[in-house]
Amino acid sequence: MKVYEYKAFPNPWRVRIALAEKGLTERVEFVQVDVPQGEHKQPAFLAKNPAGTVPLLELDNGTCITECTAITEYFDHLTGEPTLTGKTATERAVIHMRQRQVEANVLDAIANYFHHATPGLGFEAYQIQAWGEKQKEQAIATLYRLDRVLATQPYIAGDRFTVADITTLAGLAFGDFCQITIPETAIHLQAWHDRMQQRPSFSA
Ligand code: GTS
């Protein structure tokens, strides 16, 4: 199987972390797509992913899977017990809920800020500056909310590392790139982030 990515960009990193957590990195061939040069908007890549985004997982039978959550779900069920997306009905629902909250309100909100209220990739189709700024506010408010969550539990979705932690890490990495950092008073979020950096998958 192949993963199309632009290494070190936040969304591809989510897939790299999931692969490392599941011990699957060696089973994947990584194909670099030159996003800064717009290769992801060229016909060859659009034929695989009409949305023109990375990462993309291509299975050996040609099936193409996009969206980090879907790709993570695939890896989580490919080998061993599912650890990242939950086993029981309750676990799966709670992990899904938290994942979606941090994806929409941290990672995607910061991406929207980047694409709309900064020069972005330099070839943005359109920009809505005010909305981008609002998205930044939304992301920061959510970081404070996450701090309160992490005051009572060790991981974003409970007592284990899950896809919700991966998404939050990617959000903070994207934030770092555009000068949105963990608020100084968010000590529980900071402590969680420090712990995450000790995991081998963090350097995936
Ligand atoms: N929800 C998607 C997912 O989960 O894969 C987001 C994918 C995405 O937006 N990828 C970015 C991209 O390809 C790369 S990253 O910088 O966010 O990591 N952007 C290209 C573009 O033109 O928007």
Side-chain angles (χ1 to χ4, degrees):
M1 54 191 167
K2 294 180 183 168
V3 167
Y4 293 77
E5 62 162 14
Y6 188 72
K7 194 164 187 266
F9 267 28
N11 278 290
W13 188 42
R14 293 166 77 184
V15 165
R16 288 228 175 212
I17 295 175
L19 282 167
E21 290 284 341
K22 294 295 289 185
L24 286 168
T25 308
E26 301 308 318
R27 285 178 55 181
V28 166
E29 179 189 339
F30 292 97
V31 180
Q32 299 304 308
V33 179
D34 195 343
V35 174
Q37 291 301 318
E39 190 185 347
H40 59 307
K41 301 297 184 198
Q42 297 303 312
F45 187 73
L46 290 176
K48 295 183 191 298
N49 177 14
T53 57
V54 288
L56 163 94
L57 169 66
E58 185 175 36
L59 303 182
D60 293 343
N61 69 4
T63 302
C64 287
I65 301 171
T66 59
E67 295 301 325
C68 294
T69 46
I71 297 171
T72 300
E73 183 107 19
Y74 177 80
F75 292 143
D76 207 20
H77 286 83
L78 190 61
T79 182
E81 291 275 296
T83 52
L84 300 173
T85 55
K87 275 182 281 208
T88 66
T90 307
E91 258 176 22
R92 294 183 66 171
V94 169
I95 293 168
H96 187 120
M97 171 183 72
R98 288 283 184 222
Q99 193 296 132
R100 181 65 195 132
Q101 288 169 343
V102 293
E103 185 172 53
N105 300 320
V106 180
L107 176 57
D108 288 353
I110 290 172
N112 290 331
Y113 165 73
F114 170 74
H115 290 292
H116 286 272
T118 80
L121 288 171
F123 49 83
E124 304 294 347
Y126 64 93
Q127 291 195 299
I128 305 173
Q129 173 98 21
W131 183 66
E133 295 292 351
K134 276 280 165 210
Q135 288 282 284
K136 177 182 178 176
E137 282 174 27
Q138 167 82 357
I140 292 170
T142 308
L143 295 184
Y144 283 113
R145 254 200 317 276
L146 285 179
D147 185 57
R148 292 195 289 279
V149 167
L150 290 165
T152 60
Q153 62 190 44
Y155 297 94
I156 302 290
D159 58 8
R160 281 190 307 103
F161 181 91
T162 68
V163 64
D165 296 281
I166 298 178
T167 304
T168 309
L169 283 172
L172 290 173
F174 208 150
D176 221 35
F177 180 70
C178 40
Q179 284 83 52
I180 300 172
T181 51
I182 296 175
E184 224 167 83
T185 56
I187 54 171
H188 305 293
L189 180 59
Q190 185 61 61
W192 165 87
H193 196 244
D194 293 344
R195 282 201 315 279
M196 294 304 102
Q197 292 180 53
Q198 306 306 314
R199 293 182 83 84
S201 63
F202 188 87
S203 35

